[in-house]
Amino acid sequence: MKVLIPLRLTNHEEAGLPKQNSDTLDQLYSLIANEEDARVCKDIPAEACREVPRNFFLILASNVLTKLGDLLTSPKTVLAWLMSAVGAPALVAWLVPIRESGSMVPQMVIGAWVRQKAVRKWFWTLGSFGQALSVLGMAASVWLLEGYAAGGGIVACLIAFSLARGFCSVSMKDVQGKCIPKTRRGRLSGLATTLGGTATVIMTVLLFWDRGDPSLAFYSALLVLAAGLWIIAGFLFAGVDEYAGETGGGGNALKDAVQSLSLLRDDAPFRHFVITRALLLCSALASPYFVVLAQKESDIGWMLGVFLLASSLASSVSASFWGWMADTSSRRVMIRGAAMASGVCLVVGISTLVFGTDFAGVWFYPIAFFCLSIAHAGVRLGRKTYLVDMAGGNKRTDYTSVSNTVIGVLLLVTGGLTAVVSLVSEVAVILVLGLMGLAGMVSALKLKEVTAD
């Protein structure tokens, strides 16, 4: 059922905005949402519909700031460099697993707690502040400690960072589901990724313009800057006008979390989605091996900057297209992203296996990495939009927390398996992940459509 209601604030003073500013937001939102359909709300309460333009841009700005903060604290670049600089290189191997899985594994417990609250934006705000404090702790560890004491401090702060990120991950999908109409969520995520990607392109160029290694002081300043971005994002998100939603009662969070696992047994569509998402991990896991192959072919110092630029450009040029496409069918976005990721992996793997690493010149792997990054952006945005659209009420929080917890564990397991396969060769890993992506595409083909027409 479609609810037709003006997307204009009826009381601008109550919303904290002058009438002129609110009208501007309405006009900008109408351009983004399509003028003829800008007043149609789907899947959200009628009273929440009036606040959509303002909420849209507050959530958008918060996401852009945190995406830029993610670049400045990347475990693959900034934190890895800091570990070597402070004299704790052996701890580098723990950065990516902690950063990715640390925010996912505890999400069933976090989700059970979040579900008990009718208004959930404060979890995202506190999570953003928590990430800011964690990053400041990393900067303090670098300046006040040395060797493995400093490295241990960074790892400890990264654990806290990941836990805070878990609160943001669970609450974001739920707040977005309550505040943004069903057919506008994909373009919100797409715009955030595009704008964030554009900012990271600029930052990457600044970082690697002289093709040298920035000083320790420069990297530490980036950490402080990143913390500031999360603080600003937290305050912006606190301004989102979220209406109270369903609650799950006052049960014990851990007990509720364990009970939530029954969704995998009893909810067949959700189980199918989790299996598909697990298979689509290939698009994320294959990227580092492209970098490894490029390093074998060429040890040019600025090549890392080329890969960072390729990743940022891929997000900038593709995310909005994926987002608009996801509003029509998030399922088809996952299918196309999986097909592209699988195809790139298989082409790179087979070509390298047959011809060797130096057959196509220095730019082959960066270009392939760029294509894989576009595919990963589609897979990531498609499965996020699909998850939000397939559930309503408390199910949205349960689906998010259970899915992320299971994927977090599988990410560790799959990472361990690929590490074993890499003992054979990096090419073998890429081929295995290509076949895994192919299986994910087939699984996505069997998913049901959830996006409204």
Side-chain angles (χ1 to χ4, degrees):
M1 176 179 180
K2 295 183 179 181
V3 181
L4 299 180
I5 188 166
L7 286 176
R8 188 177 301 279
L9 301 178
T10 56
N11 190 329
H12 301 89
E13 289 72 21
E14 287 182 4
L17 286 174
K19 183 179 187 300
Q20 182 178 2
N21 290 347
S22 179
D23 289 344
T24 301
L25 290 182
D26 290 346
Q27 293 168 4
L28 287 174
Y29 179 79
S30 295
L31 291 174
I32 294 172
N34 289 331
E35 181 68 27
E36 64 181 77
D37 198 31
R39 298 174 184 273
V40 177
C41 279
K42 304 170 183 178
D43 199 40
I44 65 173
E47 62 270 18
C49 188
R50 297 187 181 92
E51 316 297 340
V52 167
R54 180 172 176 272
N55 286 338
F56 185 94
F57 288 106
L58 285 173
I59 295 174
L60 176 65
S62 300
N63 281 342
V64 170
L65 290 173
T66 57
K67 287 180 186 299
L68 183 55
D70 284 337
L71 169 74
L72 302 181
T73 58
S74 170
K76 298 177 181 178
T77 54
V78 179
L79 298 187
W81 187 90
L82 284 176
M83 281 294 191
S84 298
V86 300
L91 296 179
V92 171
W94 291 99
L95 295 176
V96 174
I98 289 174
R99 165 67 172 73
E100 297 299 329
S101 298
S103 63
M104 291 183 176
V105 173
Q107 283 195 13
M108 285 194 301
V109 175
I110 293 174
W113 185 20
V114 170
R115 192 180 62 242
Q116 298 171 15
K117 308 299 180 181
V119 176
R120 297 158 186 175
K121 67 178 182 179
W122 302 115
F123 287 99
W124 197 97
T125 298
L126 292 175
S128 187
F129 291 160
Q131 289 175 85
L133 290 175
S134 300
V135 173
L136 288 175
M138 294 177 194
S141 297
V142 171
W143 284 109
L144 301 178
L145 303 174
E146 295 180 356
Y148 280 92
I154 293 174
V155 169
C157 290
L158 187 59
I159 293 173
F161 177 93
S162 297
L163 290 174
R165 192 177 186 84
F167 282 94
C168 292
S169 179
V170 170
S171 56
M172 170 57 80
K173 292 182 178 65
D174 197 60
V175 173
Q176 183 177 326
K178 289 199 291 181
C179 296
I180 306 299
K182 193 169 188 177
T183 57
R184 299 297 177 261
R185 296 165 190 160
R187 64 196 66 189
L188 170 60
S189 299
L191 275 174
T193 303
T194 294
L195 294 175
T198 301
T200 59
V201 168
I202 297 172
M203 186 62 66
T204 301
V205 171
L206 292 175
L207 282 173
F208 291 91
W209 182 256
D210 60 358
R211 300 182 181 181
D213 291 330
S215 65
L216 180 64
F218 179 74
Y219 271 89
S220 299
L222 289 183
L223 291 177
V224 175
L225 173 60
L229 294 175
W230 268 295
I231 290 173
I232 296 172
F235 279 115
L236 288 175
F237 204 85
V240 171
D241 196 346
E242 177 193 357
Y243 286 83
E246 300 176 34
T247 60
N252 177 270
L254 182 58
K255 180 180 178 181
D256 289 347
V258 174
Q259 291 177 344
S260 294
L261 282 174
S262 62
L263 284 171
L264 294 172
R265 181 193 65 216
D266 302 330
D267 192 328
F270 175 66
R271 181 174 64 248
H272 187 183
F273 167 78
V274 172
I275 293 172
T276 303
R277 182 181 173 185
L279 292 171
L280 296 182
L281 286 174
C282 69
S283 64
L285 294 174
S287 299
Y289 295 98
F290 284 41
V291 177
V292 171
L293 291 177
Q295 288 174 330
K296 287 186 174 183
E297 196 278 331
S298 173
D299 59 356
I300 300 174
W302 49 267
M303 185 59 68
L304 176 60
V306 172
F307 277 100
L308 287 175
L309 189 62
S311 178
S312 301
L313 283 172
S315 295
S316 299
V317 303
S318 70
S320 287
F321 293 103
W322 286 127
W324 260 263
M325 199 181 298
D327 285 333
T328 301
S329 173
S330 53
R331 168 182 165 271
R332 286 200 292 269
V333 168
M334 285 191 288
I335 293 170
R336 291 165 182 168
M340 187 174 181
S342 176
V344 171
C345 288
L346 292 176
V347 167
V348 169
I350 294 173
S351 299
T352 305
L353 184 64
V354 175
F355 301 106
T357 59
D358 58 351
F359 76 99
V362 69
W363 295 107
F364 175 70
Y365 294 112
I367 292 173
F369 183 91
F370 175 77
C371 295
L372 183 63
S373 297
I374 290 178
H376 178 64
V379 167
R380 190 168 183 267
L381 199 148
R383 56 96 171 162
K384 281 187 173 183
T385 306
Y386 190 93
L387 181 62
V388 174
D389 287 347
M390 77 184 296
N394 272 339
K395 273 193 173 183
R396 186 176 291 119
T397 304
D398 289 339
Y399 279 9
T400 301
S401 59
V402 173
S403 173
N404 283 347
T405 298
V406 172
I407 294 299
V409 173
L410 291 178
L411 185 61
L412 290 174
V413 174
T414 308
L417 293 175
T418 54
V420 173
V421 177
S422 68
L423 296 177
V424 178
S425 73
E426 289 81 11
V427 175
V429 175
I430 293 174
L431 288 172
V432 169
L433 292 174
L435 294 174
M436 181 175 163
L438 191 61
M441 182 193 71
V442 173
S443 182
L445 283 168
K446 299 178 181 178
L447 287 172
K448 295 181 178 179
E449 290 287 356
V450 296
T451 309
D453 295 329

